[in-house]
Amino acid sequence: NQHNEANAINPPIPFLTHCPSCGSELVISKSGKSMFCTNLNCPERNVKRMTSMLDKLDIKDFSEASIVKIGKFKLVDLVKLTKEDLAFLGEVTSQKFIDRMTTLMTKPIFDYRIMGALGFEGVATEKWKTILSVYSLPELVDMFYSNRLCELVNIKGVGPGTADIINTQFKFFFDDIVFIMSMPNVIKSKGTTNKTIRFTGIRDALLVSQLNDMGHNAGEGSVSNKTDILIVPSVNYTSTKTTKASSNGHTIIVPIDEFRENMNKYLM
């Protein structure tokens, strides 16, 4: 009786079977410890995915509330926004957003970093690094058109689950993938090897840090036959390092402005 009385006062809460945001049926996770919405276009999932994407791309300080206000859920749509479009966020926040997007569109960044940020379910950045070292983005698009994305399972370190997720979700992210392919600052992983880069006659701590973050060995050390690139202030600049670089037949000597403008070419 006491049990029945307790239930009458505090009736059991019904177990959710459908997503409260979009109404799609919830699915039990593989672990059996949780349930999740499978609708990729679920409003709640869209907001969380975009918030996570911005954070992974170092575009900080934009909460879920800000994303809801912006109302754009594709990278290709976000980068098209103007300060006027974002006026409702306020002067400071809207300008900050535009500045961060400008950096994203101009600062060299590897393809796997952006793909890892898009939000393919459970496919982390390192997994994309493995995949894109074997297949370029245009090749993945060709595989999508010819229904061959399942072949990704043949890459060492890519299991059937990952291949299936990419195969299933590729269409959803297609517009953003095509946009990423068009970004001139995106560095292709396939065919790219780490470079040893040295400087002479000029210092640029920010560029050195950027190159090292990208996996290269950059700094002001000595030049040897293992040095791939020597960055100089101008075309006619000479020093003991440029003399040594010219004599070893391996090192490319590049003025810093030329290097910045064509970084993809020199880092291939």
Side-chain angles (χ1 to χ4, degrees), residues 9 16 31 41 58 68 82 92 136 144 155 167 210 215 255 259:
I9 297 172
L16 287 177
S31 67
N41 215 18
D58 297 324
V68 170
T82 66
V92 174
S136 67
F144 168 71
I155 300 174
N167 186 42
Q210 179 181 329
F259 180 78

Side-chain angles (χ1 to χ4, degrees), residues 112 122-133 155-159 162 166:
Y112 62 81
V123 187
T125 299
E126 284 303 310
K127 193 69 68 176
W128 278 112
K129 186 175 183 179
T130 299
I131 293 168
L132 290 170
S133 67
I155 300 174
K156 185 178 180 180
V158 178
T162 297
I166 293 174

Side-chain angles (χ1 to χ4, degrees), residues 27-259:
V27 175
I28 299 174
S29 66
K30 290 182 179 180
S31 67
K33 297 179 180 179
S34 62
M35 299 187 76
F36 63 96
C37 174
T38 58
N39 177 16
L40 286 174
N41 215 18
C42 171
E44 184 70 16
R45 288 190 66 176
N46 276 336
V47 171
K48 291 186 179 299
R49 182 175 61 250
M50 296 308 292
T51 305
S52 174
M53 182 193 76
L54 293 178
D55 185 63
K56 289 177 180 178
L57 294 176
D58 297 324
I59 302 174
K60 309 292 186 181
D61 308 320
F62 294 98
S63 64
E64 290 184 7
S66 296
I67 297 302
V68 170
K69 287 181 180 180
I70 292 171
K72 301 293 182 183
F73 303 108
K74 290 184 179 181
L75 176 63
V76 66
D77 293 328
L78 286 181
V79 299
K80 293 177 182 177
L81 293 172
T82 66
K83 191 174 179 181
E84 289 72 26
D85 294 329
L86 299 167
F88 58 86
L89 293 177
E91 176 73 21
V92 174
T93 303
S94 59
Q95 185 60 57
K96 184 183 291 185
F97 188 88
I98 296 299
D99 291 343
R100 301 284 173 80
M101 281 297 170
T102 300
T103 299
L104 176 64
M105 293 297 296
T106 55
K107 180 181 177 181
I109 183 171
F110 273 104
D111 47 13
Y112 62 81
R113 274 203 61 205
I114 304 188
M115 289 297 293
L118 282 187
F120 278 83
E121 200 173 328
V123 187
T125 299
E126 284 303 310
K127 193 69 68 176
W128 278 112
K129 186 175 183 179
T130 299
I131 293 168
L132 290 170
S133 67
V134 178
Y135 294 108
S136 67
L137 284 179
E139 287 172 332
L140 291 182
V141 169
D142 287 342
M143 293 169 73
F144 168 71
Y145 280 130
S146 57
N147 198 28
R148 293 187 297 110
L149 284 172
C150 56
E151 294 178 12
L152 295 177
V153 74
N154 297 321
I155 300 174
K156 185 178 180 180
V158 178
T162 297
D164 182 60
I165 287 169
I166 293 174
N167 186 42
T168 302
Q169 300 184 1
F170 201 89
K171 184 177 180 179
F172 180 80
F173 293 104
F174 187 81
D175 290 345
D176 277 346
I177 293 169
V178 172
F179 175 71
I180 293 167
M181 288 165 51
S182 74
M183 292 171 62
N185 59 311
V186 170
I187 300 170
K188 298 176 182 177
S189 299
K190 185 179 179 182
T192 300
T193 56
N194 293 341
K195 304 287 186 181
T196 298
I197 304 165
R198 296 292 176 256
F199 292 72
T200 181
I202 190 168
R203 292 187 179 186
D204 191 325
L206 185 61
L207 180 57
V208 169
S209 176
Q210 179 181 329
L211 290 167
N212 285 325
D213 286 345
M214 292 162 61
H216 302 290
N217 176 3
E220 298 178 11
S222 60
V223 172
S224 70
N225 58 7
K226 294 183 179 180
T227 304
D228 299 294
I229 301 169
L230 178 63
I231 297 176
V232 297
S234 58
V235 174
N236 297 317
Y237 180 84
T238 60
S239 68
T240 54
K241 287 185 179 180
T242 60
T243 301
K244 190 167 185 179
S246 298
S247 66
N248 69 30
H250 172 72
T251 306
I252 300 171
I253 301 174
V254 188
I256 190 164
D257 289 342
E258 160 70 12
F259 180 78

